[in-house]
Each structure stands twice: as C-alpha cells, then as structure tokens.
C-alpha cells in the first residue's frame, strides 16, 4: 500500500532527522520535506503567532495544508503542547501528537505520548546571575532558549539562542532598553534534543499502530478506541478505576476486538480500591 510512494514530513524544525529513517526502512517510502507550507502559520511556541485551534485540530490542519501545498497524498505531521501534566500535580509535561495521513486510501492514524522528561520552563529576570542559573537548569547550550522583553505583548524577541555570546548580547540589550527580560526554553525540536527524542518515540509508536492491521479487513491502523476500567481488587474483588481492557476498533469496517488485561495485571492493589481504601 505504501511502498515506493513519497511521504511528506510536514515540518520546518528538522523532525525528519528522527522520523524519516523509521518510515523509510519499515514502509519502503521516500521521505521529503518542503518549504511550500510554513507550519508556523498555525502557531509558534514563542507566542508571536497564537495557536487558535486545539492541538488535534492544528495537527490535522498542518498535515492537510502541507499535502495540498505539495500536491501529495501521503504525509506525517506532529504537534507538541507544554504545560502542567494532566494527571500528576505540580509536574510539567510534553504532550506530543503525531498523525499519518493517506488521502489516496482514506487512512488517518493518530498517536499521542505524554512525558515528564522535558526542560520546559520560563521566568522573568533582571540580573546576569539569575539568567545563568536559569540556563544551567534547562541544559543550555545543548538546549536553546528564547529571550523577549516581556511574557506577553513584547516589543523584542530573540529565538534559537544556543551560545553564551548571543545569550549575553540579547540579554544586555533587553535590560538596557526594558529593564528586565523574559527567558523561556526554546521548545522547537531542532533546538530541544529532549523533545526530539520524544518525537522519535512517538514516530515508532505511530509506525507500530499503522502496521497493526484489522483482523477482519486488514486495514492499517487498528488501534485503541476505548479504555475500559474495572480491574478487580485483589482483596474484595470489587471493580476499581484501573484499566481492565482495551477495545480496538477498525476505522474502516468498525470491527471491534477487546484486549483483556493490557497492562499484564489481573488484580489491582487494594490501595487503589475505593471500597478498601475510600
């Protein structure tokens, strides 16, 4: 279905470095990137262009618009969001989504991965000492940073800073003109090796999902549609909120299949039982 076709990787941040080798080897496609569509028009991490849609809607638009601009029918795109972890309190997270779209065969496969392995951070500061303490904490210079005059409605912005010389030059400019500076981690993949590593993991997860075919019609992308709770407590046997099974569904023929005990656990610890430990 995919062998010999060209696969567009919709990025301007060098994500093809980790995505292309995975898909070229497994699907026998020819990956390419293009400048005909600027993915930054849908939003930037630095804030000069606000992302107006949800991460999923932006992801789909990125893929569709890139395909239209390049007159191709096979593409991959990814979208990252950074902030507080959706479950774990006081933890920051990198929420990465990736899409594989084949308009010729009407295939859309989407995967998601949330990781706490991120250097995402930002702060306002006024002294060189505070600046150096911040950049050391976020793994500068292997990881780039952004400097601007304020968090919002800023008049000056410097992106992709990954040398001490440029860091101090731009910082001194902001202090001289605005009295303070706002520094944040540059979360673009080519300036953030930690994020690039997660993108590679997500790409591998996407490939695995594509290769998982529907047992009924052999359509690619047979994936989890529902997570079913109810794993029984090992003490009282009452259903808990832990995962009992996954329901897989084919997007083409709607065939469903239940995978019992997907985490290789048949009972849950009473600690997580609302009856034993209310």
């Amino acid at each position: 279905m995919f062998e010999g076709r060209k696969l567009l990787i919709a990025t301007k941040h060098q994500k093809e470095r980790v995505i292309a080798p995975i898909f070229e080897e497994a699907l026998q496609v020819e990956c390419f990137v293009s400048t005909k569509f600027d993915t930054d028009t849908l939003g930037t991490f630095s804030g000069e262009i606000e992302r107006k849609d949800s991460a999923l809607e932006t992801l789909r638009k990125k893929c569709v618009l890139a395909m239209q601009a390049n007159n191709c029918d096979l593409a991959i795109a990814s979208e990252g969001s950074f902030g507080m972890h959706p479950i774990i309190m006081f933890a920051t997270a990198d929420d990465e989504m990736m899409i594989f779209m084949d308009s010729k065969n009407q295939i859309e496969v989407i995967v998601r991965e949330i990781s706490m392995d991120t250097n995402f951070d930002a702060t306002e500061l006024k002294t060189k000492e505070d600046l150096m303490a911040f950049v050391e904490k976020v793994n500068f210079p292997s990881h780039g940073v952004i400097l601007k005059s304020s968090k919002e409605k800023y008049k000056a912005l410097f992106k992709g800073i990954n040398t001490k010389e440029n860091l101090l030059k731009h910082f001194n400019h902001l202090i001289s003109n605005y009295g303070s500076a706002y520094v944040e981690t540059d979360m673009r993949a080519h300036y953030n090796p930690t994020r690039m590593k997660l993108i590679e993991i997500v790409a591998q997860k996407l490939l695995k999902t594509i290769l998982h075919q529907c047992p009924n019609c052999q359509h690619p992308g047979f994936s989890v549609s529902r997570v079913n709770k109810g794993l029984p407590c090992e003490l009282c046997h009452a259903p808990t909120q832990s995962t009992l099974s996954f329901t897989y569904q084919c997007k083409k023929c709607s065939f469903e299949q239940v995978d019992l005990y997907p985490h290789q656990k048949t009972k849950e610890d009473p600690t997580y039982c609302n009856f034993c430990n209310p």
Side-chain angles (χ1 to χ4, degrees):
M1 185 176 290
F2 309 119
E3 186 175 352
R5 296 171 62 187
K6 288 191 173 183
L7 173 61
L8 169 64
I9 302 175
T11 182
K12 62 179 295 184
H13 301 146
Q14 301 176 23
K15 297 174 187 176
E16 71 276 6
R17 292 186 347 222
V18 295
I19 297 175
I22 294 171
F23 285 86
E24 287 185 337
E25 180 180 358
L27 300 185
Q28 295 299 297
V29 293
E30 181 185 342
C31 292
F32 73 102
V33 293
S34 170
T35 58
K36 291 183 179 179
F37 172 69
D38 185 355
T39 55
D40 277 356
T41 59
L42 299 177
T44 59
F45 289 119
S46 45
E48 70 269 31
I49 301 176
E50 182 182 356
R51 190 174 73 184
K52 297 180 180 180
D53 301 307
S54 68
L56 180 56
E57 290 170 333
T58 301
L59 181 67
R60 283 198 174 105
K61 280 186 178 180
K62 185 182 291 188
C63 205
V64 169
L65 292 173
M67 290 168 70
Q68 291 175 348
N70 289 276
N71 192 28
C72 68
D73 55 20
L74 194 64
I76 284 178
S78 78
E79 184 72 11
S81 302
F82 300 87
M84 299 305 296
H85 195 283
I87 299 175
I88 302 172
M89 294 181 64
F90 309 115
T92 55
D94 176 358
D95 188 347
E96 291 287 341
M97 300 179 73
M98 191 174 292
I99 187 171
F100 175 88
M101 194 174 289
D102 180 352
S103 60
K104 177 182 176 181
N105 295 296
Q106 297 183 328
I107 296 171
E108 179 188 274
V109 182
I110 299 172
V111 297
R112 181 187 184 192
E113 188 76 17
I114 300 176
S115 173
M116 290 190 296
D117 186 11
T118 177
N119 71 331
F120 176 70
D121 204 353
T123 190
E124 184 177 357
L125 36 76
K126 296 183 179 181
T127 69
K128 176 184 173 183
E129 289 73 23
D130 287 343
L131 174 67
M132 299 313 296
F134 177 89
V135 298
E136 181 179 359
K137 180 177 65 171
V138 298
N139 299 321
F140 179 87
S142 64
H143 292 61
V145 296
I146 294 172
L147 281 169
K148 48 192 181 183
S149 51
S150 63
K151 181 177 180 180
E152 299 173 351
K153 298 181 180 180
Y154 43 85
K155 297 179 180 179
L157 168 68
F158 306 100
K159 300 196 292 185
I161 302 170
N162 59 3
T163 67
K164 186 176 180 180
E165 180 184 0
N166 282 335
L167 178 72
L168 295 177
K169 179 180 71 174
H170 297 315
F171 175 73
N172 290 333
H173 171 82
L174 292 173
I175 294 298
S176 297
N177 288 274
Y178 306 102
S180 65
Y182 190 82
V183 59
E184 59 188 41
T185 47
D186 195 330
M187 303 312 298
R188 293 175 298 168
H190 57 320
Y191 282 105
N192 199 295
T194 299
R195 182 181 175 220
M196 188 71 87
K197 186 187 302 181
L198 182 60
I199 290 172
E200 182 176 8
I201 292 171
V202 178
Q204 292 168 339
K205 185 176 183 178
L206 179 61
L207 174 64
K208 183 179 179 180
T209 305
I210 294 167
L211 295 178
H212 192 195
Q213 296 179 326
C214 171
N216 185 56
C217 72
Q218 286 70 57
H219 190 72
F222 190 57
S223 57
V224 176
S225 61
R226 290 194 306 276
V227 176
N228 308 306
K229 299 177 181 179
L231 190 67
C233 170
E234 64 180 357
L235 182 63
C236 72
H237 308 297
T240 69
Q241 293 298 303
S242 300
T243 300
L244 173 66
S245 65
F246 287 158
T247 298
Y248 288 78
Q249 185 180 52
C250 177
K251 294 181 180 179
K252 184 177 182 180
C253 72
S254 299
F255 173 81
E256 288 190 347
Q257 181 173 288
V258 176
D259 178 19
L260 199 60
Y261 311 128
H263 300 310
Q264 289 75 52
K265 289 178 64 176
T266 58
K267 302 288 183 180
E268 184 55 281
D269 190 297
T271 304
Y272 304 102
C273 175
N274 291 336
F275 182 77
C276 295
N277 188 30

